[in-house]
């Protein structure tokens, strides 16, 4: 409907259509209920014009206003008023809608809303000002004007604006939005409201025996509760129609008042105003409540979506009865249906057995002293799967009864825990790889002993301890006697096996604190920390004897010659190695398979 008015505003025929409607309604209103001043009980054309001016584009307002003024002029002249009076009344009628439109659009733009108290108050005030201005202009034109005329005109115009404009704007709004289209049930409610109002209003105004004017008010309250703003306005329009017809026919409870026709008309107008003041604010509050309910529902829906996307839920524990409240995401974390929140003991029972006591203690302590808490725990779902969660909570005061409780968040961190474990495993694997690389870099590939690099590093470290005041250190340098002959006679494969056997046998004769390594070729070094010359000679002899006795059938028998050196003075690594090497050559010169101590 609003789109229709928008198209009419652009069309050259739009003002003509409004003019015809305005003329027809104005003529009926003038004929329906008249007083000595020719003023109707309610002036619906004012509401029609205001609703139109609020709906059409701003640039088309003046064309529709002019069309309505011309139609009003024609209607007044048809009703028997002179040209001067008709022109003045028509100007007043056009002015009232223009004033109300100007006030409302300056406040809220093009759209006027009745679903919040401020919008209704603005419309109430704008229509009051417009009716007051219109009554003042009409009083200057009327042949016989006075306080009664001004009051009658004011109430007639104001009622027309108050009753008709909201009804038309509500219809426009419903027609313009498919989301707000009236459903089948709402249609049945509106039909029921109309029938009930007709029955109640007819029973009230078709008799003059009982003052039953309270009955329509009761029906209007029911109409507001069932049909909202639209239902209330429709019900009031029915009351206006029946009441006006009753005044015309000379029947109804109003005629129980022994007074003039003008006073009865004024009473009826203020009766309608009281209905408006009673019903529409209530309808507005109900509409505002429904809007808040919809907004709250939408916010809850968005909150649920946000929690589901972030895998975060919220919970609350009532300290009085220890009732537990879970958000939908908490149910999903636990793998439970969203039927009812569990008791506190049952909620704790969903945690891993190893975590339950810790969870219970944290909750109990928070309830007792109000200290916030945060920890990680595991949830065991009914299907046996385990979810890791992070829980935090703090003291909370209920907004309803000031009861102390706990409020907190629970976040599913299973993916983070799994990622953390993957990183930990990767780090451990990297550490193992690094250690393996370091071991490989410091190990002789053939014998598995320390290589030359490792020997030199270890020797320098031991010599540093000796410089710091430790006891003497000794080294043993030995090689295999006639090893070249073994390679030439048996081949390099056998030679490699001999090297491995000598390395293993020599290692068996050492202490846990000693280090043996392959220095190069068939030459080996033994580092003996905190060992003097006498002990070094004993260890060297034990190694020599084991190697000599280690040969088996089918294997070449080998022996070793050994040179021993012990630190003295400020030995460096190359210095002690050189002295051991001199001792080794002395052992070889003495016939091999023997040992010598460096001087």
């Amino acid at each position: 409907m609003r789109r229709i008015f928008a198209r009419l505003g652009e069309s050259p025929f739009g003002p003509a259509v409004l003019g015809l409607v305005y003329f027809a309604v104005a003529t009926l209103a003038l004929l329906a209920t008249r007083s000595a001043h020719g003023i109707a009980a309610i002036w619906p054309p004012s509401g029609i014009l205001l609703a139109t001016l609020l709906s059409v584009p701003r640039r088309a307002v003046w064309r529709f206003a002019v069309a309505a003024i011309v139609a009003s002029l024609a209607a007044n002249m048809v009703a028997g008023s002179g040209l001067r009076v008709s022109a003045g009344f028509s100007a007043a009628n056009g002015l009232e809608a223009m004033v109300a439109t100007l006030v409302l659009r300056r406040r809220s733009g093009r759209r006027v809303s009745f679903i919040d108290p401020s919008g209704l108050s603005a419309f109430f005030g704008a229509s009051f000002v417009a009716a007051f201005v219109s009554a003042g202009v009409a009083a200057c034109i009327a042949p016989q004007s006075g306080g009664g005329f001004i009051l009658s005109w004011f109430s007639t115009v104001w009622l027309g604006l108050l009753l008709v404009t909201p009804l038309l704007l509500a219809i426009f709004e419903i027609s313009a939005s498919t989301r707000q289209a009236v459903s089948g049930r709402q249609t049945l409610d509106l039909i029921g409201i109309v029938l009930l109002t007709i029955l109640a209003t007819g029973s009230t105004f078709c008799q003059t025996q009982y003052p039953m004017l309270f009955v329509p008010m009761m029906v209007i309250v029911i109409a507001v509760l069932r049909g909202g703003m639209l239902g209330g306005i429709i019900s009031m329009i029915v009351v206006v129609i029946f009441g006006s017809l009753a005044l015309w026919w000379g029947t109804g409870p109003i005629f129980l008042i022994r007074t003039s026709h003008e006073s009865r008309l004024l009473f009826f107008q203020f009766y309608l105003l009281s209905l408006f003041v009673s019903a529409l604010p209530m309808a507005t509050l109900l509409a505002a409540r429904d809007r808040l309910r919809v907004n709250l529902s939408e916010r809850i829906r968005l909150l649920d979506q946000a929690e589901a996307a972030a895998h975060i839920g919220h919970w609350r524990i009532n300290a009085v009865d220890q009732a537990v409240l879970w958000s939908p995401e908490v149910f999903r974390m636990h793998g439970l249906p969203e039927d009812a929140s569990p008791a506190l003991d049952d909620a704790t029972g969903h945690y891993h057995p190893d975590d339950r006591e810790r969870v219970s203690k944290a909750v109990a302590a928070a309830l007792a002293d109000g200290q916030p808490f945060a920890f990680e725990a595991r949830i065991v779902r009914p299907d046996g799967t385990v979810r890791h969660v992070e829980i935090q909570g703090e003291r909370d005061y209920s907004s309803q009864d000031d009861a102390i409780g706990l409020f907190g968040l629970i976040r599913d961190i299973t993916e983070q825990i799994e990622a953390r474990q993957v990183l930990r495993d990767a780090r451990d694997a990297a550490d193992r790889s690094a250690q393996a690389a370091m071991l490989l870099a410091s190990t002789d590939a053939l014998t598995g002993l320390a290589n030359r690099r490792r020997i030199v590093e270890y020797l320098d470290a031991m010599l540093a301890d000796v410089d710091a005041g430790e006891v003497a250190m000794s080294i043993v340098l030995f090689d295999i006697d006639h090893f070249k002959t073994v390679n030439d006679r048996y081949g390099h494969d056998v030679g490699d096996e001999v090297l491995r056997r000598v390395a293993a046998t020599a290692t068996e004769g050492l202490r846990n604190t000693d280090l043996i390594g392959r220095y190069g070729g068939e030459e080996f070094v033994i580092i003996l920390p905190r060992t003097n010359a006498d002990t070094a000679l004993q260890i060297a002899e034990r190694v020599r004897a084991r190697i000599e006795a280690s040969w088996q059938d089918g294997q070449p028998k080998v022996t070793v010659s050994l040179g021993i050196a012990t630190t003295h003075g400020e030995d460096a690594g190359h210095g002690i190695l050189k002295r051991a090497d001199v001792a080794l050559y002395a052992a070889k010169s003495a016939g091999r398979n023997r040992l010598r101590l460096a001087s």
Side-chain angles (χ1 to χ4, degrees):
M1 185 69 72
R2 186 180 291 273
R3 289 191 294 269
I4 294 175
F5 269 84
R7 288 196 293 269
L8 286 175
E10 302 293 342
S11 171
F13 301 104
V17 173
L18 173 66
L20 292 175
V21 174
Y22 193 101
F23 173 79
V25 176
T27 301
L28 291 175
L30 289 172
L31 294 177
T33 303
R34 298 178 59 90
S35 69
H37 302 290
I39 301 176
I42 180 175
W43 189 247
S46 299
I48 295 174
L49 178 57
L50 178 57
T52 303
L53 297 184
L54 291 175
S55 302
V56 300
R58 190 184 299 270
R59 61 181 177 274
V61 167
W62 67 272
R63 293 194 288 121
F64 283 87
V66 170
I69 292 174
V70 172
S72 177
L73 177 63
N76 278 277
M77 294 186 67
V78 169
S81 299
L83 178 60
R84 176 179 172 277
V85 174
S86 298
F89 285 178
S90 299
N93 290 143
L95 184 62
E96 67 207 15
M98 293 292 290
V99 169
T101 301
L102 178 62
V103 173
L104 290 174
R105 281 192 166 177
R106 285 180 62 87
R107 176 190 179 274
S108 56
R110 180 174 175 179
R111 183 183 179 89
V112 178
S113 175
F114 296 98
I115 62 174
D116 62 84
S118 62
L120 180 62
S121 299
F123 174 73
F124 197 84
S127 60
F128 180 90
V129 171
F132 184 80
V133 172
S134 177
V137 173
C140 297
I141 304 299
Q144 297 177 356
S145 61
F149 174 84
I150 294 176
L151 183 59
S152 297
W153 183 285
F154 169 80
S155 59
T156 300
V157 170
W158 196 22
L159 284 171
L161 296 173
L162 291 178
L163 296 179
V164 178
T165 301
L167 174 64
L168 293 179
L169 290 179
I171 295 174
F172 297 164
E173 189 70 26
I174 292 173
S175 301
S177 176
T178 56
R179 293 180 59 186
Q180 296 181 0
V182 179
S183 64
R185 180 176 178 179
Q186 290 173 322
T187 302
L188 292 177
D189 286 343
L190 293 177
I191 293 174
I193 288 170
V194 172
L195 294 177
L196 180 61
T197 308
I198 290 175
L199 178 62
T201 308
S203 302
T204 299
F205 288 99
C206 291
Q207 55 84 33
T208 56
Q209 186 175 1
Y210 303 104
M212 297 173 59
L213 292 175
F214 62 89
V215 175
M217 181 172 291
M218 296 171 56
V219 175
I220 289 175
V221 171
I222 296 174
V224 169
L225 294 176
R226 292 295 300 178
M229 176 71 70
L230 183 60
I233 295 175
I234 291 176
S235 183
M236 291 182 63
I237 294 296
V238 173
V239 174
V240 170
I241 295 173
F242 272 78
S244 298
L245 292 175
L247 282 175
W248 189 40
W249 289 329
T251 184
I254 294 177
F255 284 89
L256 294 175
I257 303 174
R258 303 303 179 184
T259 185
S260 64
H261 181 76
E262 291 79 4
S263 297
R264 292 192 186 100
L265 178 59
L266 187 60
F267 175 83
F268 178 61
Q269 290 173 334
F270 278 92
Y271 170 71
L272 296 178
L273 180 61
S274 67
L275 293 182
F276 178 90
V277 173
S278 301
L280 256 63
M282 180 174 63
T284 299
L285 293 176
L286 291 176
R289 181 203 63 183
D290 293 339
R291 184 180 62 178
L292 290 175
R293 183 182 298 164
V294 171
N295 291 340
L296 178 60
S297 177
E298 180 67 10
R299 291 189 177 213
I300 292 176
R301 184 185 68 82
L302 294 176
L303 175 61
D304 291 342
Q305 285 187 352
E307 288 190 350
H311 302 297
I312 297 177
H314 67 272
W315 53 266
R316 188 182 188 278
I317 300 176
N318 191 317
V320 177
D321 55 6
Q322 295 195 341
V324 179
L325 174 65
W326 281 358
S327 70
E329 182 61 20
V330 181
F331 283 99
R332 287 191 286 268
M333 289 182 192
H334 287 75
L336 298 173
E338 299 179 26
D339 48 2
S341 297
L344 181 58
D345 293 340
D346 295 336
T348 306
H350 290 292
Y351 287 92
H352 192 280
D354 296 340
D355 298 337
R356 290 174 190 168
E357 183 178 359
R358 180 161 54 92
V359 173
S360 298
K361 288 183 178 179
V363 172
L367 287 172
D369 56 27
Q371 293 298 318
F373 62 86
F375 57 84
E376 295 181 3
R378 292 163 292 176
I379 292 175
V380 182
R381 289 181 169 181
D383 59 2
T385 59
V386 177
R387 305 297 295 180
H388 296 264
V389 295
E390 181 183 63
I391 307 166
Q392 63 185 67
E394 60 184 13
R395 177 173 286 181
D396 176 55
Y397 293 90
S398 172
S399 59
Q400 297 178 352
D401 52 13
D402 291 333
I404 298 176
L406 291 181
F407 175 82
L409 302 176
I410 178 171
R411 183 165 66 97
D412 190 332
I413 58 172
T414 303
E415 295 182 357
Q416 292 92 318
I417 293 294
E418 292 175 350
R420 192 185 306 169
Q421 184 61 44
V422 170
L423 291 176
R424 187 181 298 113
D425 293 342
R427 185 177 63 248
D428 293 343
D431 290 342
R432 290 192 297 270
S433 298
Q435 292 175 358
M438 292 178 62
L439 181 63
L440 183 62
S442 62
T443 302
D444 178 63
L446 178 63
T447 62
L449 300 179
N451 59 14
R452 185 186 186 100
R453 174 184 174 184
R454 173 62 176 150
I455 291 170
V456 173
E457 291 176 351
Y458 190 74
L459 179 59
D460 290 340
M462 292 300 100
L463 288 173
D465 289 341
V466 173
D467 292 341
E470 296 288 344
V471 297
M473 181 196 74
S474 300
I475 66 169
V476 178
L477 182 65
F478 70 92
D479 67 2
I480 302 172
D481 297 331
H482 304 295
F483 183 69
K484 183 176 183 302
T485 303
V486 173
N487 278 333
D488 293 342
R489 182 176 178 180
Y490 297 98
H492 288 282
D493 291 341
V494 175
D496 290 344
E497 181 59 33
V498 169
L499 288 172
R500 284 191 289 268
R501 179 161 53 88
V502 169
T505 303
T507 302
E508 294 173 355
L510 301 179
R511 303 167 300 181
N512 292 335
T513 57
D514 302 333
L515 174 68
I516 182 173
R518 184 183 176 194
Y519 199 61
E522 71 275 19
E523 195 171 38
F524 297 84
V525 173
I526 302 173
I527 300 177
L528 305 172
R530 301 178 181 83
T531 304
N532 56 27
D534 292 338
T535 303
L537 287 171
Q538 295 175 7
I539 294 173
E541 177 57 28
R542 185 166 64 239
V543 170
R544 186 203 64 77
R546 283 177 175 269
I547 293 174
E548 184 180 16
S550 67
W551 67 277
Q552 299 178 1
D553 294 339
Q555 295 179 343
K557 181 178 181 181
V558 296
T559 59
V560 295
S561 299
L562 305 92
I564 302 97
T566 302
T567 57
H568 58 76
E570 295 182 356
D571 264 328
H574 65 277
I576 192 172
L577 283 172
K578 184 175 182 179
R579 290 193 290 112
D581 187 59
V582 171
L584 170 61
Y585 276 95
K588 286 183 176 292
S589 299
R592 293 186 171 84
N593 192 23
R594 64 195 68 231
L595 51 91
R596 288 290 183 269
L597 179 64
S599 58

